[in-house]
Amino acid sequence: ILNVEQSPQSLHVQEGDSTNFTCSFPSSNFYALHWYRWETAKSPEALFVMTLNGDEKKKGRISATLNTKEGYSYLYIKGSQPEDSATYLCAFIGNTGFQKLVFGTGTRLLVSP
Amino acid sequence: NAGVTQTPKFRVLKTGQSMTLLCAQDMNHEYMYWYRQDPGMGLRLIHYSVGEGTTAKGEVPDGYNVSRLKKQNFLLGLESAAPSQTSVYFCASSVPGQAYEQYFGPGTRLTVT
């Protein structure tokens, strides 16, 4: 069974703080790593889809990096805003057989004004 | 485009009752998935389909059946509901060309008493 771990489980920051989360995944048989943003009472939405070692993606104040050789990805949020409050999920896809996603349990971020 | 829709949004069942959850997508996606989301467990794959007429088991398939008679629809059935199946169910669809980026439906909250 593949293990995808996210840390921390939860985070409470003040508006304007910058923060980062970690996703750890198997370093072998890598195909892709996804990051999703999941707001309360909504469904997850994709932030980034990363497929190459060394990938860096950016969307506004949110960015992500990928290290497939050591099996981790970081998600950064610069200058957190209350609307960034959500659960951030990562999902690993291996290249053996059908590309099923294995999700981590998420990092819950709360940004206070 | 409606994207991915799920019917119903909420349902309460008594133990032993049966029901079918419907997922529909209008994006012409080949792959469709059913997940369940439980506190502290993240999203877990129940069943998936790689095309019309095909289905396969995911991580937690017991107690569920699925059918994909039409490309745009993916049905999840509970033959004899149990309290352990109380959960939020998400349907998703994807295409290989986007590294299987998941497009999620709004979710169905099911309670089994």
Side-chain angles (χ1 to χ4, degrees):
Chain A
I1 298 178
L2 298 175
N3 201 25
V4 177
E5 296 185 352
Q6 291 188 245
S7 61
Q9 280 190 330
S10 63
L11 201 51
H12 184 184
V13 301
Q14 298 297 310
E15 182 175 354
D17 288 348
S18 293
T19 187
N20 65 84
F21 324 134
T22 304
C23 173
S24 300
F25 53 85
S27 56
S28 59
N29 301 318
F30 177 86
Y31 180 82
L33 192 284
H34 296 183
W35 281 100
Y36 292 85
R37 183 170 182 272
W38 193 358
E39 291 182 72
T40 302
K42 294 187 178 180
S43 51
E45 291 186 351
L47 278 172
F48 304 116
V49 173
M50 309 177 81
T51 57
L52 296 174
N53 183 42
D55 253 356
E56 292 188 21
K57 302 267 187 178
K58 187 174 182 182
K59 188 179 291 187
R61 294 178 291 97
I62 305 177
S63 60
T65 61
L66 178 68
N67 184 323
T68 62
K69 296 188 177 185
E70 296 183 38
Y72 64 84
S73 176
Y74 294 139
L75 188 78
Y76 301 91
I77 303 179
K78 184 177 179 183
S80 301
Q81 298 297 309
E83 56 266 30
D84 295 328
S85 298
T87 296
Y88 293 84
L89 292 174
C90 69
F92 168 82
I93 307 173
N95 62 9
T96 55
F98 174 64
Q99 280 82 349
K100 293 179 284 186
L101 282 74
V102 179
F103 284 86
T105 54
T107 293
R108 181 177 292 186
L109 174 67
L110 177 62
V111 183
S112 296
Chain B
N1 279 355
V4 180
T5 58
Q6 292 182 229
T7 310
K9 289 188 167 51
F10 304 94
R11 186 72 185 269
V12 179
L13 287 178
K14 293 187 189 304
T15 297
Q17 288 184 320
S18 63
M19 78 164 293
T20 300
L21 282 66
L22 171 62
C23 176
Q25 53 95 4
D26 61 2
M27 296 175 285
N28 203 34
H29 284 177
E30 286 293 330
Y31 295 0
M32 296 187 75
Y33 313 76
W34 276 106
Y35 295 94
R36 59 178 290 174
Q37 189 261 326
D38 302 294
M41 301 291 286
L43 285 166
R44 292 183 293 168
L45 182 65
I46 304 171
H47 286 280
Y48 62 95
S49 169
V50 303
E52 182 178 318
T54 70
T55 63
K57 295 179 180 179
E59 183 186 353
V60 287
D62 293 343
Y64 305 96
N65 57 74
V66 288
S67 64
R68 183 110 181 259
L69 298 179
K70 293 183 179 180
K71 184 177 183 179
Q72 61 268 34
N73 296 337
F74 195 27
L75 278 63
L76 178 71
L78 284 71
E79 295 171 343
S80 179
S84 60
Q85 294 177 304
T86 294
S87 188
V88 181
Y89 292 85
F90 286 96
C91 175
S93 68
S94 75
V95 288
Q98 295 176 11
Y100 304 95
E101 176 182 339
Q102 305 282 284
Y103 292 77
F104 286 92
T108 295
R109 183 174 293 276
L110 175 66
T111 301
V112 183
T113 62

